[in-house]
């Protein structure tokens, strides 16, 4: 617990009360950027044994690390910065937290408001620094060492907490002004006798006041009872309970389920039977997508990663489509005239599952299963016999131990996991940053995921993603973290081969692909971590098996899967065409 002694000055009082309030609400991780103005906050956090602290040289890395913590735990981590551009470096992670709906708290120290707009050094206007991307942004005045001042601080902390964990969760921002002295020195008469650094009230740890208490299970059950050809589409989310509830509903109602890898419904009990894991491949065939004509679509989570699934939803926009969400946000960028179904997603799915029993046409489910099985069987020879990025994704999914938290990087890794990994009843915990879907900060987020999980974790990223955030390995990784990092080395931006610009070279190779020749073995050596090259699916499956706690290599490891870009696209295209043709025959 935090020490209960009277604070030596008003800054220490303010910071310790703020930190105590966050701890009592359930926060346990804080990422610390270097600097002077934030000293009262850092001192308060360091003195409170309810927090695990993660020091960072780079504030951007600190922020994405906090995103990983929030994605894995469902609880916000604080990111503490000094004033000026240090705070601005949080912006990319704040954007991703907003778009991905990950709880997050930016705790930015600031100079007194009177210095804004003057020539004071390291002073910028930090009010509303993150614009509309912050769920709530509060500019705290200078510390007030009074009971009323602490009450106002308590209200601000409560408001920020509600914004971060509410419906939908996301980033909140507390901008905290401090005047000198910043260190915990005694200032006579600064803090009244008996005024302790504690906010009024007793918040319940783990309480999520913004959560939606009601559900729409009865309405959803009624929709499913009337439908003969219903389909559930489960998109990316950071609540594994949503995916499990979607699987339960699919099994009870006998409804095919198209599940994104980040949905919680691709890996886990019931997924092998009800999840159509080859939807991305089979629905690329126009005639298959046309033939699988639903009379009801129920969506939950964000928009699917798969472009083929999104095109399928657009094609069948004349079928009633409902989007289950905890709020009344617009969730229809595809313009399918989707109607909102407002309620807590887990409670709604579970409520509907309890009220339905196999109303869908057996032939409808059978057609989906036949298509899905045919597409999967068609790609299995390529996955077993050739070495391309789809084989890397499939081998990693097969080799990871049960329950492994698995951060899947943006660009091609998430797309290849979507297309080429089968649904399985084995429990895995895929995570990703699919809100704004950038490659920045993915390494830091993977480290944060491992820190929050408290068990060996894994990540699959591309080479440019690694290089974009290489500082996370060299300077900003915390000790005692177990993370197996698998990097697809294709010497540049392989994803851009999907675009028409590939036919125009130059500028395609030098300015779009941006080939690189960095030796990842040397990067690993500089970071002091083990490095291994693999060149087959069998080697990779063996490599990702977690060692025992006493084994050599326990901790951070880098496995490099070298892929030739042109060969990869040839093999990928051939595998996709085989799957499409098999799906056509099965339909």
């Amino acid at each position: 617990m935090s020490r209960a002694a009277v604070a030596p000055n008003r800054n220490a009082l303010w910071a310790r009360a703020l930190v105590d309030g966050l701890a009592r609400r359930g926060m346990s991780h804080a990422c610390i950027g270097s600097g002077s103005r934030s000293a009262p906050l850092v001192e308060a956090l360091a003195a409170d044994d309810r927090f695990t602290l993660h020091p960072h040289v780079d504030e951007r890395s600190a922020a994405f690390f906090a995103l990983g913590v929030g994605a894995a735990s469902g609880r916000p981590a604080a990111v503490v910065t000094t004033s000026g551009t240090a705070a601005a470096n949080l912006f990319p992670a704040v954007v991703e937290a907003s778009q991905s709906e990950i709880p997050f708290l930016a705790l930015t120290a600031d100079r007194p408001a009177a210095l804004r707009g003057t020539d004071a050094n390291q002073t910028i206007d930090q009010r509303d620094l993150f614009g509309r991307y912050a769920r709530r942004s509060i500019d705290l005045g200078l510390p007030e060492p009074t009971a009323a001042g602490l009450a106002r601080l308590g209200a601000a902390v409560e408001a920020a907490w509600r914004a971060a964990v509410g419906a939908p969760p996301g980033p909140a921002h507390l901008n905290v002004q401090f005047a000198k002295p910043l260190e915990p020195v005694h200032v006579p008469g600064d803090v009244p006798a008996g005024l302790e650094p504690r906010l009024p009230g007793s918040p319940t740890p783990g309480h999520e006041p913004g959560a939606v208490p009601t559900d729409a299970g009865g309405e959803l059950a009624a929709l499913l009872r009337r439908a003969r050809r219903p389909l559930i589409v489960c998109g990316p989310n950071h609540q594994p309970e949503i995916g499990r509830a979607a699987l339960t509903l699919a099994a009870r109602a006998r409804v095919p389920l198209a599940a994104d890898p980040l949905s919680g419904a691709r890996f886990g009990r019931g997924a092998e039977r009800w999840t159509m894991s080859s939807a991305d491949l089979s629905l690329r065939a126009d005639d298959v997508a046309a033939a699988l004509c639903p009379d009801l679509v129920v969506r939950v989570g964000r928009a699917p990663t798969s472009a083929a699934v999104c095109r399928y939803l657009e094609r069948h926009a004349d079928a009633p489509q409902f989007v289950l969400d905890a709020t009344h946000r617009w969730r229809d960028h595809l313009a399918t005239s989707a109607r909102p179904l407002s309620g807590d997603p887990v409670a709604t799915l579970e409520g509907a599952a309890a009220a339905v029993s196999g109303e869908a046409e057996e032939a409808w489910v059978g057609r989906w299963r036949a298509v899905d099985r045919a597409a999967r069987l068609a790609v299995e020879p390529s996955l077993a016999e050739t070495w391309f990025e789809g084989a890397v994704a499939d081998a990693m999914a097969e080799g990871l131990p049960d329950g492994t938290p698995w951060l899947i990087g943006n660009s091609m890794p998430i797309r290849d996991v979507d297309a080429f990994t089968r649904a399985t009843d084995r429990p895995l915990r895929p995570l990703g940053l699919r809100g704004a879907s950038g490659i920045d900060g993915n390494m830091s987020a993977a480290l944060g995921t491992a820190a929050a999980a408290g068990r060996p974790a894994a990540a699959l990223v591309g080479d440019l993603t690694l290089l974009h955030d290489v500082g996370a390995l060299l300077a900003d990784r915390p000790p005692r973290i177990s993370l197996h990092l698998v990097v697809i080395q294709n010497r540049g931006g392989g994803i851009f081969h999907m675009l028409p610009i590939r036919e125009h070279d130059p500028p395609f190779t030098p300015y779009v692909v941006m080939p690189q020749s960095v030796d990842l073995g040397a990067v690993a050596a500089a970071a002091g971590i083990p490095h291994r090259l693999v060149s087959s699916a069998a080697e990779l499956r063996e490599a990702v098996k977690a060692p025992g706690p006493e084994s050599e290599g326990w901790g951070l490891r880098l496995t490099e899967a070298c892929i030739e870009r042109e060969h990869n696209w040839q093999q990928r295209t051939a595998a996709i065409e085989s799957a499409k043709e098999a799906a056509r025959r099965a339909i």
Side-chain angles (χ1 to χ4, degrees), residues 270-304:
E272 289 183 12
R273 184 170 186 187
W274 295 106
T275 296
M276 307 297 123
S277 56
S278 296
D280 176 74
L281 296 174
S282 56
L283 294 179
R284 294 173 189 242
D286 285 343
D287 41 358
V288 174
L292 292 172
C293 183
D295 62 1
L296 172 69
V297 176
V298 178
R299 279 184 47 205
V300 62
R302 298 188 304 281

Side-chain angles (χ1 to χ4, degrees), residues 223-246:
L223 291 169
L224 289 168
R225 280 194 292 267
R226 291 194 295 267
R228 301 275 69 84
R229 300 184 308 281
L231 174 69
I232 300 173
V233 177
C234 197
N237 65 82
H238 290 285
Q239 291 180 260
E241 299 84 3
I242 291 177
R244 290 196 289 269

Side-chain angles (χ1 to χ4, degrees), residues 288 366-367 369-375 581-587:
V288 174
R367 295 184 85 190
R369 284 181 175 160
V371 164
D372 196 67
R373 187 183 309 112
E581 182 56 35
R584 290 189 186 100
R585 292 195 299 268
I587 200 67

Side-chain angles (χ1 to χ4, degrees), residues 508-533:
F508 177 64
T509 298
Y511 304 120
V512 180
V513 172
M514 292 189 179
Q516 53 81 24
S517 58
V518 175
D519 182 347
L520 296 189
V523 170
I529 61 177
H531 170 261
R532 176 177 177 177
L533 287 170

Side-chain angles (χ1 to χ4, degrees), residues 42-54:
V42 174
E43 188 273 338
L45 286 162
D48 194 322
D49 61 13
R50 291 170 291 183
F51 282 86
T52 299
L53 303 189
H54 308 281

